[in-house]
Amino acid sequence: MPFINSKVSVTITEEQEKELKSRLGQAISLIPGKSENWLMCGFEDNYHLYFKGDNSAPTAFIEVKVFGQENPSAFEKMTAEITKIFGEVLGIGADRIYIKYEAVSNWGWNGGNF
């Protein structure tokens, strides 16, 4: 039950969105027990982001929420992969990307909770 939400300061084309979704679907397996089969992705483009008081360069804020326990070593691998994906697909520099991880113990789906 992972969810990856991204807010980026650039426009995302339909083709880029599909590539991001696909590559994030592959990357989520870096976290043990997670797969694209349960992954939900959200994309917010043209978001007003300022980093260090500046908005002149492409910037991203990405949230990764997972059901279960934190896994710092897997999150470290995910950070490297997410940074690579957003760099290659949208041209956002690694030094302009923040990634927040959150392990959630209560997660609802299909009218109930896990």
Side-chain angles (χ1 to χ4, degrees):
M1 286 58 59
F3 175 58
I4 301 175
N5 191 46
S6 59
K7 298 175 181 181
V8 299
S9 64
V10 297
T11 300
I12 301 174
T13 66
E14 186 176 337
E15 181 180 294
Q16 289 170 321
E17 185 173 297
K18 288 179 181 178
E19 184 174 354
L20 289 169
K21 182 227 22 122
S22 176
R23 291 181 66 179
L24 291 171
Q26 294 168 355
I28 198 64
S29 65
L30 293 169
I31 300 174
K34 306 304 176 198
S35 71
E36 184 177 20
N37 291 336
W38 289 96
L39 177 63
M40 182 181 284
C41 293
F43 302 100
E44 299 178 58
D45 66 350
N46 296 310
Y47 198 84
H48 296 272
L49 289 169
Y50 288 80
F51 185 62
K52 299 181 181 179
D54 175 45
N55 71 343
S56 64
T59 305
F61 178 71
I62 300 160
E63 297 175 284
V64 180
K65 298 179 188 237
V66 296
F67 175 69
Q69 301 297 313
E70 291 185 8
N71 188 327
S73 64
F75 293 171
E76 184 77 25
K77 292 175 187 171
M78 270 300 282
T79 294
E81 191 62 21
I82 288 172
T83 300
K84 177 181 174 186
I85 291 167
F86 279 78
E88 291 176 358
V89 177
L90 299 178
I92 302 173
D95 63 337
R96 303 279 304 182
I97 299 173
Y98 272 168
I99 304 170
K100 173 189 171 189
Y101 293 90
E102 184 177 353
V104 180
S105 59
N106 294 292
W107 200 288
W109 173 72
N110 199 22
N113 288 348
F114 290 99

